[in-house]
Amino acid sequence: MALSCAQALASTAGTVISNTATLSFDIAGVRHTVSSNTASLILAETLDVSVETDAPSGPVPEREECAVGFVVVNHGSGTETFDLTAQAEGQGASVLFIAGDTDGGQVYDAAVDKPLANSQLTLGSGARTHVFAVIGSDCAKAGTIRLRALARTGSGVPGTVFPGQGDGGGDAIVGKTGADTNGTVTGTNLRLLAKSVQPSLTKSQTVETSDGSATANAGAIVTYRLLAAFPRATTGVEIEDPIPAGTAYVPGSLTLDGATLSDAGDDDPGQADDGSILVGLGEVAPGTRTIAFKVRIL
């Protein structure tokens, strides 16, 4: 009688490791083989992240807008989405928004590098990317700027397990960084922006169905989010978005910064129908405003 075993090797989170053994034996001179049941497991995802500071670019004149460079690295074993938050600790300056390095140039370009939707960043295992914390006026007073990256799947004490929350339905395990880390940049490491920085608008979408999936089929609800970023005070602001063909606006779903707006053209800044949504903001202070609305696929 002899036993043999074959095992698949894996190192990527979500990979299924399967193991089946065979039993071989002789009966009356005839060779027989019987297979065992297959034992399978899903390789757990390790949650780890770091935030590194970018190279300095020299002193910053007073009253200049600027962008602070950071590098976010996913040290985990799977694909993970990180929530990013940034804060200027000095007096007289604030972080307007966090932008991604869209063109990979590693230098902030307001015409190209748009705000990250919901300030979230998704990276594959081992991936690294530049992001920029965009600061308003009085950059020279910003002092220390901190960028925090927090794994959406979970964080905490290293070794903490989140059952079934990893890639492929396996477990997720918090790594040595706690899946929650900060990077800091001082006021001498700021990248200058041109004073002609213009407002920008970034759009994202999510799909939900009655069965909980994200399949875009008839009856599904699509939520659109518009993130408007204003590096400086801006006047005469209006945001309009046509309702896509093949969909119908969901009445009462229009919101501004989380607050519901009426669909009628009345005292609040919004109005909506099956043709389009329109939000008139008028004069806007430096910062970001978020508009959301829903449509149903016909």
Side-chain angles (χ1 to χ4, degrees):
M1 182 175 69
L3 290 174
S4 65
C5 178
Q7 182 175 355
L9 299 178
S11 58
T12 303
T15 299
V16 177
I17 299 177
S18 298
N19 185 296
T20 304
T22 58
L23 169 63
S24 300
F25 54 93
D26 295 326
I27 298 179
V30 179
R31 193 69 170 167
H32 297 267
T33 301
V34 176
S35 297
S36 73
N37 60 296
T38 299
S40 298
L41 57 84
I42 302 174
L43 192 64
E45 177 184 354
T46 302
L47 305 171
D48 258 326
V49 62
S50 69
V51 177
E52 305 168 1
T53 58
D54 200 358
S57 60
V60 179
E62 287 193 22
R63 311 287 316 170
E64 288 279 5
E65 292 79 10
C66 60
V68 184
F70 294 90
V71 180
V72 182
V73 186
N74 179 10
H75 295 286
S77 60
T79 298
E80 181 63 25
T81 298
F82 301 97
D83 288 320
L84 304 182
T85 55
Q87 181 178 3
E89 297 184 353
Q91 296 294 322
S94 61
V95 176
L96 302 181
F97 54 85
I98 300 172
D101 186 15
T102 304
D103 61 357
Q106 301 182 15
V107 175
Y108 181 76
D109 181 346
V112 177
D113 301 322
K114 301 303 182 182
L116 294 172
N118 302 318
S119 295
Q120 293 176 352
L121 179 68
T122 300
L123 294 173
S125 176
R128 57 192 292 127
T129 189
H130 277 72
V131 297
F132 307 99
V134 179
I135 314 296
S137 59
D138 281 339
C139 248
K141 300 178 182 178
T144 297
I145 298 89
R146 299 186 185 279
L147 180 77
R148 180 187 185 188
L150 178 67
R152 286 188 63 80
T153 298
S155 60
V157 178
T160 301
V161 178
F162 297 92
Q165 299 302 304
D167 287 359
D171 295 342
I173 304 173
V174 176
K176 62 182 179 180
T177 64
D180 180 3
T181 190
N182 290 276
T184 61
V185 173
T186 63
T188 58
N189 295 343
L190 306 180
R191 292 189 181 278
L192 295 182
L193 284 175
K195 287 190 174 182
S196 62
V197 173
Q198 299 297 315
S200 63
L201 186 63
T202 303
K203 186 171 186 176
S204 62
Q205 63 186 15
T206 56
V207 180
E208 9 175 5
T209 62
S210 57
D211 62 5
S213 69
T215 304
N217 51 24
I221 300 296
V222 182
T223 300
Y224 291 110
R225 288 182 176 83
L226 304 171
L227 177 65
F230 302 93
R232 57 170 52 81
T234 308
T235 60
V237 176
E238 288 187 348
I239 298 174
E240 184 174 10
D241 196 355
I243 303 302
T247 70
Y249 172 72
V250 176
S253 65
L254 180 63
T255 64
L256 172 63
D257 298 330
T260 300
L261 301 178
S262 65
D263 294 338
D266 49 25
D267 292 340
D268 73 30
Q271 61 185 76
D273 54 31
D274 279 337
S276 66
I277 64 99
L278 175 65
V279 178
L281 297 177
E283 184 173 352
V284 179
T288 60
R289 306 298 298 272
T290 301
I291 296 166
F293 66 94
K294 296 181 179 183
V295 301
R296 177 178 286 103
I297 299 176
L298 303 176

